[in-house]
Amino acid sequence: MPDGTRPGDAALLEEFASFLLLQRGRSAHTVRAYVGDVADLLAETPGSAARADLDRLDLPVLRRWLAGQTARGMARSTMARRASAVRTFTAWATASGYLTADPALRLKAPRADRALPTVLNTRQAADAVEAAGREDPGSGEEATEPESAAVRARDAALLELLYGAALRVSEACALDVGGLDLDAGLVRVLGKGSKERVVPFGSPAAAALRAWLGQRHHLAGQVAGDALFVGVRGRRIDPRTVRTIVHRSATQAGVPDIAPHGLRHSAATHLLEGGSDLRTIQEMLGHASLATTERYTHVSPERLLATFRQAHPRA
């Protein structure tokens, strides 16, 4: 539990964390963030030295707490997440009998900024992906031959799949060898909320994956299990290493710096520009809401102009 949490609050937060993890299927990262947000709220809620008095957790308290976040200069995205954490907590606390009524039902908070990540054009994306398998991996991992050759093969397959299947970095790290169907060009992905989906990928990714699977034994240890992508220590690859690989590949390719999420956004944008409909892209990306897909995909000015000229009667 976060530092400064009262003993009684800590027990309550442990129960809330179990609810998020086991019943809502939230990721460990989300659970930590939500629990930290609620702990901060409880620390400012009137009560005894042992525990916040939940009967005094009302709408004015919530509004003052959010106002305090604003005064500290919190980003709108952070404010939106904290409000979401509080709403989830109060709804759970009400259903669990800790609150007689949900005080957050009328709580308003600023919406998260709708800033979009960097988007590469198709040529830049291809250059970044193709740069991954070159000499000098530079991913921060100490590797010797034949490990270095395996790392290059892994990085090439990783970038091909991140872009080719528009995966989240967490999804790529969680992939298993058994989830691949190279002949069909499909991969089984475990997304947010432990929701499983099957995503297609193209022949370049299939070729890179076959090359990597032929080298995987040089890196994989017993602790790797069925993990598709592994690090030089023999374990399942971690998100930090993946981010380093993507940043390094962009630098080597001489394209704008990009993170894995930007590569995913680029893939979604290129699908849209290539004629895919939003519902198909939604399914591929694993978005629960079409509104989320609309945020992560946008029409380029060129496509907008071409569509206008083709469809508008006064064009």
Side-chain angles (χ1 to χ4, degrees):
M1 291 299 105
D3 293 340
T5 304
R6 290 168 287 200
D9 292 342
L12 184 70
L13 290 171
E14 288 283 2
E15 190 176 342
F16 178 54
S18 296
F19 161 76
L20 292 173
L21 189 63
L22 302 177
Q23 296 188 41
R24 295 290 293 272
R26 298 298 180 92
S27 68
H29 175 76
T30 299
V31 171
R32 284 193 299 271
Y34 274 33
V35 167
D37 294 339
V38 175
D40 187 78
L41 169 66
L42 294 180
E44 298 186 20
T45 301
S48 67
R51 185 169 183 170
D53 184 356
L54 293 187
D55 289 335
R56 300 174 69 180
L57 182 60
D58 53 17
L59 185 59
V61 169
L62 295 178
R63 285 173 172 167
R64 284 196 300 271
W65 178 71
L66 278 180
Q69 311 299 307
T70 303
R72 294 182 207 171
M74 293 286 182
R76 289 172 64 90
S77 58
T78 302
M79 294 282 292
R81 189 208 67 213
R82 290 198 159 198
S84 176
V86 167
R87 289 192 189 97
T88 303
F89 171 74
T90 57
W92 166 79
T94 303
S96 301
Y98 293 116
L99 288 169
T100 56
D102 189 345
L105 289 177
R106 293 187 292 122
L107 181 66
K108 294 183 179 180
R111 292 187 177 183
D113 294 324
R114 299 178 72 84
L116 298 173
T118 300
V119 178
L120 302 179
N121 61 38
T122 53
R123 182 65 262 170
Q124 290 171 332
D127 289 345
V129 169
E130 291 164 6
R134 295 175 187 165
E135 295 291 331
D136 185 25
S139 63
E141 301 170 294
E142 295 182 3
T144 58
E145 291 291 350
E147 289 181 344
S148 290
V151 168
R152 291 193 294 274
R154 178 204 65 191
D155 292 356
L158 176 63
L159 267 289
E160 285 284 3
L161 202 55
L162 279 172
Y163 175 65
L167 299 181
R168 300 180 178 96
V169 63
S170 59
E171 294 170 345
C173 292
L175 291 176
D176 289 332
V177 174
L180 280 177
D181 186 338
L182 292 175
D183 293 331
L186 298 171
V187 60
R188 190 166 62 249
V189 178
L190 191 64
K192 286 186 175 181
S194 299
K195 294 180 180 178
E196 190 174 271
R197 68 186 191 278
V198 176
V199 182
F201 56 85
S203 55
L209 285 164
R210 284 192 173 92
W212 156 238
L213 291 175
Q215 298 277 345
R216 181 180 176 275
H217 65 279
H218 291 301
L219 298 183
Q222 290 184 347
V223 291
D226 196 35
L228 175 58
F229 296 112
V230 295
V232 295
R233 295 184 179 180
R235 302 185 180 91
R236 184 181 294 273
I237 200 168
D238 63 86
R240 180 178 297 180
T241 300
V242 175
R243 293 187 183 97
T244 300
I245 294 167
V246 173
H247 286 302
R248 183 262 307 165
S249 297
T251 299
Q252 285 192 339
V255 303
D257 188 28
I258 197 167
H261 188 68
L263 202 59
R264 167 177 160 91
H265 184 194
S266 299
T269 301
H270 299 159
L271 282 168
L272 186 64
E273 292 176 344
S276 294
D277 62 273
L278 280 176
R279 288 291 183 185
T280 300
I281 299 173
Q282 177 190 6
E283 182 68 23
M284 184 168 179
L285 297 181
H287 288 159
S289 168
L290 187 61
T292 306
T293 310
E294 291 171 343
R295 177 191 176 191
Y296 285 86
T297 59
H298 59 267
V299 179
S300 68
E302 293 79 12
R303 177 172 169 79
L304 188 63
L305 183 58
T307 302
F308 170 75
R309 287 173 173 168
Q310 178 182 355
H312 199 287
R314 302 291 285 181

